[in-house]
Amino acid sequence: MSKGNRGRDRAAARRIVEQQKVAAKRRQVTLWTSVAVVAVLLIAGLIGWGVYANQSKNDASSVVTPSVAVDDGTAFAIGTGPVTIDLYEDFMCPICHQFEDASGDTIAQMVTDKKVTVRYHTVAILDDASNGTKYSTRSAGAAAAAAVGGKFKEYHDALYDNQPEENSDGLTDAKLIELGKSVGLGDDFAKAVTDKTYDAWVGKVTDTFSSRDFNGTPTVVVNGKQVTGANGAVPTADDLTKAVEAAEG
């Protein structure tokens, strides 16, 4: 082999070695870049989880359950009868108002006759129907404060007697407090409304409502069985009476 050929072979070999070194360096840079990206994503994930966990903890800790609430802290009981009526209502719901007008006296009589225990679940599914004021939540939170003050049913009825139109702003907090005073509630009630003490709890009640596969108000349940009227309509007073009689056996 001539000297020229040997020189060209050595130069080619050096180029191959250099190319291999460059490729190796490239692989090393790529590897460390990948490690860095994974580390960043891992740290971001841990931070994100920490924020989420902290928010969840804060949300959970912010829920103040009314001391008088029943059914896992989601309702207020009226009456002592053996048959349980669970009534899910939204204070912005006009159909709930109609149900109360049509069946309220019948329910009250069954409570007086000690036939039923009525558990009122004050849910908030119509917050979007109050122009951003979250009236469903605010009124339900106020009703919770009224329950703690021993005036749930009186305040419940006052809210329906003064029910605002759907898709309006709803009643102001000042008006909610005024209604409370009209049924005998005082400063503790007013403070709870102003501080929104039970508003987060209303979210818990509404979540429970959804988890039980209910999606509309009013929802009426007698001894664990949902009661509906003809063709799935809201039950009438007669429908409710028949359901209670059937539950009595």
Side-chain angles (χ1 to χ4, degrees), residues 95 215-220 226-236 239:
I95 308 302
N215 54 27
T217 54
T219 290
V220 184
Q226 187 172 354
V227 181
T228 58
N231 299 317
V234 174
T236 64
D239 294 326

Side-chain angles (χ1 to χ4, degrees), residues 39-219:
V40 169
L41 291 174
L42 179 61
I43 292 170
L46 290 172
I47 292 173
W49 170 252
V51 171
Y52 171 78
N54 189 54
Q55 287 177 338
S56 298
K57 181 178 179 182
N58 289 339
D59 289 345
S61 65
S62 69
V63 174
V64 178
T65 301
S67 58
V68 295
V70 300
D71 190 22
D72 295 328
T74 65
F76 304 112
I78 303 295
T80 57
V83 176
T84 300
I85 298 176
D86 283 290
L87 180 56
Y88 298 84
E89 295 181 320
D90 185 314
F91 289 116
M92 179 61 98
C93 169
I95 308 302
C96 294
H97 193 179
Q98 292 172 20
F99 173 80
E100 285 292 336
D101 286 344
S103 302
D105 289 344
T106 298
I107 294 172
Q109 188 60 54
M110 287 192 287
V111 168
T112 298
D113 294 341
K114 296 184 179 180
K115 290 185 176 183
V116 301
T117 298
V118 186
R119 299 193 300 196
Y120 290 88
H121 304 256
T122 55
V123 303
I125 62 174
L126 292 175
D127 269 343
D128 289 341
S130 57
N131 298 329
T133 73
K134 294 187 176 181
Y135 177 71
S136 293
T137 291
R138 291 188 297 108
S139 56
V148 172
K151 297 285 186 178
F152 172 78
K153 189 57 169 61
E154 294 89 338
Y155 193 71
H156 165 279
D157 293 348
L159 285 175
Y160 280 120
D161 287 342
N162 293 271
Q163 187 184 54
E165 291 185 5
E166 194 173 1
N167 297 313
S168 71
D169 291 348
L171 305 181
T172 64
D173 286 354
K175 182 63 177 179
L176 291 174
I177 292 170
E178 180 185 320
L179 290 179
K181 290 180 179 179
S182 74
V183 299
L185 292 162
D187 292 342
D188 288 344
F189 166 80
K191 187 176 188 304
V193 173
T194 300
D195 293 348
K196 303 190 184 307
T197 302
Y198 300 109
D199 284 17
W201 169 82
V202 176
K204 172 188 173 183
V205 176
T206 305
D207 288 343
T208 300
F209 170 75
S210 297
S211 72
R212 293 174 178 176
D213 295 326
F214 302 136
N215 54 27
T217 54
T219 290

Side-chain angles (χ1 to χ4, degrees), residues 222-247:
V222 174
N223 274 13
K225 182 178 180 180
Q226 187 172 354
V227 181
T228 58
N231 299 317
V234 174
T236 64
D238 188 48
D239 294 326
L240 185 57
T241 299
K242 289 178 179 177
V244 170
E245 289 174 349

